[in-house]
Amino acid sequence: MSSHHIVRERQEPALLITDFYSIDEELVGQLLEWSPTIVTDVNSYEAVTSQAYKVDVIFTPVPIDLPQEHVNTVLYDVNYIASALRYLIAEGYKAVNILGSGFDQEILESFVQEIDLVWLHDDKRTIFVQSGFEKWMPAGDHLFIEPAWCDLATSGLNRIGENHFETINDDFFSIRFSAPQFCLLTEKL
């Protein structure tokens, strides 16, 4: 007897690419196992397609002709990331993995309430979390919480530095804070 997992359209996070080479190739392969919608800009398009991945949506500031069929081309004026996130939200996506180094934190923060954001960069994973966030991690793993407020309360973590923490046990840890509304939690992949 076999079981089948049915993946509904837009159930899996989209993959928004700004720098294809910002994490290990094996990790990229894991992200692509469920065939997410791949969104990229014209600057990253060639790197993505050179690895034989099919791009679903390409953002470009000027009209272009593409050799790949069935690619939705979207024009944008100012900011690729903001335009792509607005597009994904309008299309009904609930989550997105953003692959690339360097981003404008203010832009991402403006979308946190509308879509779950996971930023993968430099072999790290950064997520926006609210107070009361919990996650299981093995003992000895390191993570960073920014910004480092004086009212940050943690459970299951040892503080190593101003915003640097280590998990105490193979167990859940939690973080609580009163302000601001979100913080960034970064861990190594």
Side-chain angles (χ1 to χ4, degrees):
M1 186 172 207
S2 68
S3 65
H4 297 281
H5 179 76
I6 298 172
V7 178
R8 291 186 180 92
E9 187 106 7
R10 295 170 178 73
Q11 180 180 352
E12 294 296 321
L15 180 59
L16 176 59
I17 300 172
T18 65
D19 178 4
F20 185 76
Y21 301 107
S22 64
I23 65 170
D24 183 79
E25 189 177 324
E26 184 178 322
L27 295 171
V28 174
Q30 290 174 15
L31 290 171
L32 296 170
E33 283 180 2
W34 291 95
S35 301
T37 298
I38 298 177
V39 178
T40 189
D41 65 346
V42 70
N43 297 324
S44 299
Y45 177 79
E46 191 172 310
V48 175
T49 57
S50 72
Q51 299 296 315
Y53 298 123
K54 182 193 171 298
V55 170
D56 299 292
V57 183
I58 184 169
F59 279 76
T60 177
V62 296
I64 57 172
D65 290 325
L66 295 173
Q68 197 178 47
E69 290 184 31
H70 308 294
V71 177
N72 186 8
T73 303
V74 179
L75 294 174
Y76 71 93
D77 287 332
V78 178
N79 186 286
Y80 157 54
I81 297 292
S83 298
L85 290 173
R86 277 192 291 277
Y87 171 87
L88 290 169
I89 291 165
E91 291 292 313
Y93 288 87
K94 303 293 184 216
V96 60
N97 291 316
I98 302 171
L99 180 58
S101 300
F103 73 96
D104 185 330
Q105 184 175 328
E106 277 186 42
I107 289 174
L108 292 184
E109 284 177 357
S110 67
F111 292 97
V112 167
Q113 298 210 9
E114 299 176 78
I115 191 167
D116 289 337
L117 301 166
V118 176
W119 177 41
L120 304 153
H121 58 101
D122 308 317
D123 292 325
K124 294 181 266 188
R125 174 190 346 261
T126 300
I127 58 174
F128 287 84
V129 297
Q130 295 180 316
S131 182
F133 177 81
E134 290 185 328
K135 181 177 180 180
W136 188 94
M137 287 179 80
D141 273 8
H142 290 247
L143 53 103
F144 299 86
I145 302 171
E146 296 181 54
W149 312 279
C150 55
D151 72 336
L152 180 67
T154 65
S155 173
L157 297 174
N158 277 331
R159 185 185 293 260
I160 295 173
E162 182 178 345
N163 65 348
H164 187 183
F165 296 84
E166 180 179 42
T167 53
I168 297 170
N169 298 309
D170 292 350
D171 203 353
F172 282 90
F173 71 87
S174 66
I175 58 173
R176 298 192 187 292
F177 48 89
S178 58
Q181 191 170 5
F182 298 94
C183 72
L184 291 176
L185 177 96
T186 301
E187 62 186 284
K188 285 220 172 252
L189 292 172

